[in-house]
């Protein structure tokens, strides 16, 4: 029986949307472990993984090792696997990375899901032993996936291409602002150079110096016989009449924090103020690909291991 995450006739959702969007649904289970699988979906794929991990469990049990208990926290943000006492997060599986979820329809204990690892990009199959609520847990994961997908569409994930264009336009605006600033600096430099070349330099003769006559100051110099400081570039540095150099010009910052209208750069993902994350587009593409693949919920039989006395 293959059922999509929308579930129309056979089952209704177990929880209110608020419970999964604003909080989380906790479940206690035993964690048999995880193993790499070749495919993101398939009954036979998870059945082989369950058989493999069950066999490993029996070996550990014969050695006196107990199956670790975990707490599952299911919400629209993913499935967290925590240590029950310390609440330390052991695994955090985002919903758009979960592609297949199945439960054992015979004893209601075993359930499993396939999730694509965020670091290695390998498909891992997680297997759990719950207390007679395997189907409920898989339905909860399916409902959380459905709500997360709707939230993704409402937040603009459906318009990824449009967001790419917005990001490109935002980059173009920043380039134009930088170019505009550079042009302003060049115009200011040219104006300063023109002003300096038009100053009426008056030279005094040796006779005037002996007589103690004082040469008239340039109208543009201050009381210290210095040309007033102006924010020009270092290339237009010209000595003053007394031979001293004007003070160095502080370097201009090329960092653009606001646009031409005085507003902070627009973030097309958060639709608010803030810097545009460099990798946000790749995350959007990844989420769109994951949600597009969909989540398959399936009820099947996993108790095929003769070593399990309860089967």
């Amino acid at each position: 029986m293959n059922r999509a995450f929308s579930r129309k006739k056979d089952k209704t959702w177990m929880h209110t949307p608020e419970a999964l969007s604003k909080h989380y649904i906790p479940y206690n289970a035993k964690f048999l472990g995880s193993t790499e699988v070749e495919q993101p979906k398939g009954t036979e794929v998870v059945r082989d993984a369950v058989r493999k991990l069950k066999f490993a469990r029996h070996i550990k049990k014969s050695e006196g090792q107990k199956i670790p208990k975990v707490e599952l926290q299911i919400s629209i943000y993913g499935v967290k696997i925590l240590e029950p006492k310390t609440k330390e997060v052991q695994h955090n599986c985002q919903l758009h990375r979960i592609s297949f979820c199945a439960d054992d329809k015979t004893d209601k204990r075993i359930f499993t899901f396939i999730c694509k690892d965020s670091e290695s990009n390998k498909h891992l199959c997680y297997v759990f032993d719950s207390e007679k609520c395997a189907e409920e847990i898989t339905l909860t994961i399916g409902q959380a996936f459905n709500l997360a997908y709707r939230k993704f569409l409402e937040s603009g994930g459906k318009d990824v291409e449009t967001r790419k264009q917005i990001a490109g336009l935002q980059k173009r605006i920043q380039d134009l602002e930088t170019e505009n600033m550079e042009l302003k600096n060049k115009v200011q430099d040219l104006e300063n150079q023109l002003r300096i070349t038009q100053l009426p330099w008056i030279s005094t003769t040796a006779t005037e110096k002996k007589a103690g006559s004082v040469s008239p100051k340039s109208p543009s110099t201050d009381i210290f016989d210095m040309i007033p400081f102006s924010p020009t570039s270092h290339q237009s540095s010209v000595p003053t009449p007394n031979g001293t150099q004007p003070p160095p010009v502080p370097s201009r910052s090329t960092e653009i924090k606001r646009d031409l209208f005085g507003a902070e750069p627009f973030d097309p993902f958060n639709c608010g103020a803030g810097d545009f994350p460099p990798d946000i587009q790749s995350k959007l593409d990844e989420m769109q690909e994951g949600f597009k693949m969909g989540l398959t919920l399936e009820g099947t039989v996993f108790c095929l291991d003769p070593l399990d006395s309860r089967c």
Side-chain angles (χ1 to χ4, degrees), residues 78-311:
V79 179
K80 289 185 179 180
I81 305 172
L82 304 90
E83 204 286 325
K85 295 182 179 179
T86 64
K87 302 299 181 182
E88 179 183 358
V89 178
Q90 300 176 352
H91 303 277
N92 187 9
C93 304
Q94 296 175 310
L95 291 175
H96 68 275
R97 291 180 170 271
I98 300 178
S99 55
F100 192 85
C101 190
D103 58 85
D104 192 330
K105 65 181 181 181
T106 56
D107 66 1
K108 308 297 183 184
R109 293 183 301 107
I110 302 297
F111 72 94
T112 178
F113 62 81
I114 298 177
C115 180
K116 188 177 182 181
D117 185 70
S118 59
E119 296 182 359
S120 64
N121 282 331
K122 295 180 179 179
H123 297 287
L124 301 178
C125 183
Y126 295 80
V127 181
F128 303 86
D129 186 341
S130 66
E131 294 296 331
K132 305 296 182 179
C133 57
E135 184 179 17
E136 179 181 339
I137 295 176
T138 57
L139 288 176
T140 302
I141 294 176
Q143 183 182 5
F145 185 96
N146 187 23
L147 292 172
Y149 180 55
R150 292 177 182 272
K151 183 178 178 63
F152 177 73
L153 294 181
E154 291 173 358
S155 65
K158 192 175 182 180
D159 304 319
V160 172
E161 293 299 325
T162 301
R163 291 180 179 278
K164 287 183 179 180
Q165 296 178 8
I166 293 176
L169 290 174
Q170 177 65 23
K171 180 64 168 59
R172 179 57 179 161
I173 290 175
Q174 292 180 350
D175 292 341
L176 289 174
E177 288 177 341
T178 302
E179 183 180 353
N180 182 48
M181 183 69 69
E182 293 175 353
L183 291 175
K184 284 184 178 180
N185 292 339
K186 291 182 180 179
V187 171
Q188 184 66 39
D189 291 342
L190 291 174
E191 290 179 351
N192 291 333
Q193 291 177 10
L194 182 61
R195 187 183 301 111
I196 291 174
T197 56
Q198 291 178 346
L199 291 177
W201 302 104
I202 301 177
S203 61
T204 58
T205 63
T207 304
E208 289 175 336
K209 288 183 179 180
K210 291 180 181 180
S213 61
V214 181
S215 61
K217 290 183 171 59
S218 171
S220 61
T221 58
D222 56 19
I223 60 175
F224 301 103
D225 201 23
M226 297 284 291
I227 295 178
F229 171 74
S230 60
T232 60
S233 65
H234 64 280
Q235 296 178 351
S236 62
S237 176
V238 178
T240 58
N242 60 6
T244 61
Q245 294 289 337
V249 179
S251 60
R252 296 178 181 270
S253 174
T254 58
E255 182 181 1
I256 305 299
K257 294 184 177 180
R258 294 183 177 274
D259 59 18
L260 295 172
F261 303 99
E264 295 183 0
F266 172 67
D267 187 335
F269 184 69
N270 295 323
C271 296
D275 295 332
F276 188 81
D279 60 341
I280 193 63
Q281 195 57 56
S282 62
K283 291 182 179 179
L284 278 172
D285 293 339
E286 176 195 325
M287 292 179 69
Q288 185 186 44
E289 180 182 355
F291 283 125
K292 185 178 180 180
M293 178 181 292
L295 171 64
T296 302
L297 301 184
E298 183 169 305
T300 186
V301 178
F302 295 133
C303 285
L304 303 177
D305 193 343
L307 296 176
D308 197 331
S309 59
R310 291 176 294 180
C311 297

